[in-house]
Amino acid sequence: MDIGGKRRSDNFEDRGASSGGGGGGGIGIRLLSTVARRFGVKGMLVGGVILGGVYLFAPSSIKQSLLGGSAGTTQTAASVCASSDKNAAACDFSRAVLASTEDTWTQQFSAGNLPDYGKNPGPYKMPTLVVFSGAVTTGGCGGATSDVGPFYCPADNKLYIDPSFYDVLEQRLKAPGDFAQAYVIAHEIGHHVQNMIGSMQLKMPGETKNQVSVRVELQADCLAGVWGHSAREDLSITDEDLSEATQAAHAIGDDALGHTDEAKFSHGSSEQRLRWFKKGFTSGDPRQCDTFAVKNYKNL
Ligand SMILES: [Zn+2]
């Protein structure tokens, strides 16, 4: 994969502690929890994490099984991107991938090449990628700490990533490589696409919340694959890159993360995540990503 000479997106926010980001970005966890208690931020409080309707990259069990004690450290750097060479590279890389997803989805939306949920989404609206360190407040989804992993907030159309997640991906999930990192961004962008086309809001009669969540997550994986397909030539994505993404998709299946009870699955099994990602990557067609058209949940 080669991002040299490619466009970098400006729909990007660096939420260092003192940069503020207009909304008190990068504040400490203790402060965040206090704020939540005082002002009654909507959502559930999970070990210092307040979440309201956000869409995660990986099942929430990721934080117990993978992040251990390293999670949730509050950092005070003024700029996340400038705090280390490694972060600078991660920020630059993220902006290049984001720009590539903008090109892909602008084109797919203008061609009307999307699953139909009875809603005309109009032209593609580009979301903002926020990088943060330790903890972050969103515009409508409450606050979160890094231990939930990357996520998308539909209320403010923003994706939130702590670059330290890339280390988790490499070291704890054994899914190294730049294309694995790109897949994380492309998956969260997939949630933004769902927000626009209306699949994120769908309810399936007779299905549990978790079952609908699996449909949403597998569709986001497939849409990430669609991006990979269309960026293949432009970003010189090789077969080796593809195996990085498939390794990542496999590592974040509910079963790979220790869930044995299917009723508790929120993101799908490793096999399902991999299969839907590949479906998007092979076809390059968003309409092939209609997980809601699969009648029986068991056939997903
Ligand atoms: Zn997700």
Side-chain angles (χ1 to χ4, degrees):
M1 184 175 181
D2 183 9
I3 57 164
K6 301 298 171 192
R7 184 171 73 82
R8 267 57 173 169
S9 173
D10 289 323
N11 297 310
F12 184 83
E13 268 179 50
D14 180 342
R15 291 271 185 96
S18 60
S19 68
I27 59 174
I29 300 160
R30 192 165 298 159
L31 175 60
L32 195 64
S33 304
T34 309
V35 169
R37 272 196 299 274
R38 189 170 304 159
F39 298 105
V41 175
K42 263 205 292 191
M44 55 178 180
L45 185 65
V46 187
V49 181
I50 310 113
L51 291 176
V54 300
Y55 289 80
L56 306 173
F57 174 66
S60 55
S61 58
I62 196 171
K63 66 183 197 297
Q64 289 95 28
S65 54
L66 296 156
L67 290 160
S70 72
T73 45
T74 305
Q75 293 177 15
T76 51
S79 158
V80 176
C81 299
S83 64
S84 68
D85 287 351
K86 199 173 169 186
N87 273 7
C91 289
D92 183 56
F93 175 80
S94 302
R95 289 179 60 198
V97 172
L98 182 63
S100 174
T101 65
E102 289 167 352
D103 295 345
T104 296
W105 291 111
T106 297
Q107 197 267 328
Q108 297 283 8
F109 273 68
S110 79
N113 203 14
L114 302 159
D116 183 5
Y117 300 108
K119 177 184 173 184
N120 179 2
Y124 184 60
K125 289 189 210 69
M126 297 178 193
T128 297
L129 195 161
V130 179
V131 291
F132 70 98
S133 180
V136 71
T137 47
T138 67
C141 298
T145 51
S146 305
D147 57 4
V148 296
F151 65 93
Y152 171 72
C153 171
D156 63 6
N157 292 308
K158 291 181 181 180
L159 308 60
Y160 293 83
I161 298 180
D162 181 331
S164 69
F165 184 75
Y166 297 142
D167 296 332
V168 173
L169 205 56
E170 185 170 340
Q171 291 159 21
R172 312 231 181 161
L173 293 166
K174 308 288 176 219
D178 51 4
F179 195 65
Q181 297 174 7
Y183 162 59
V184 174
I185 297 170
H187 173 96
E188 295 309 328
I189 291 290
H191 284 312
H192 174 68
V193 169
Q194 294 176 312
N195 191 21
M196 287 194 67
I197 63 179
S199 59
M200 185 173 266
Q201 298 81 6
L202 289 179
K203 293 195 170 61
M204 297 296 279
E207 288 190 4
T208 66
K209 218 174 143 191
N210 275 354
Q211 288 170 333
V212 177
S213 168
V214 169
R215 288 185 189 270
V216 169
E217 295 300 334
L218 294 178
Q219 184 173 58
D221 284 333
C222 184
L223 296 171
V226 168
W227 164 75
H229 178 95
S230 74
R232 199 164 191 167
E233 236 170 82
D234 192 39
L235 300 184
S236 310
I237 293 164
T238 62
D239 286 348
E240 202 184 314
D241 288 320
L242 180 59
S243 76
E244 289 172 8
T246 55
Q247 232 171 308
H250 191 271
I252 49 172
D254 281 299
D255 47 352
L257 291 171
H259 276 154
T260 47
D261 182 1
E262 251 183 73
K264 291 192 177 135
F265 280 18
S266 62
H267 281 64
S269 69
S270 295
E271 186 276 324
Q272 287 175 311
R273 297 201 72 167
L274 191 52
R275 183 157 41 78
W276 281 96
F277 173 80
K278 279 189 168 168
K279 198 170 183 181
F281 191 87
T282 308
S283 69
D285 180 1
R287 288 168 302 191
Q288 297 292 315
C289 297
D290 195 356
T291 53
F292 290 89
V294 177
K295 286 226 167 66
N296 189 336
Y297 167 81
K298 297 214 173 297
N299 296 331
L300 270 174

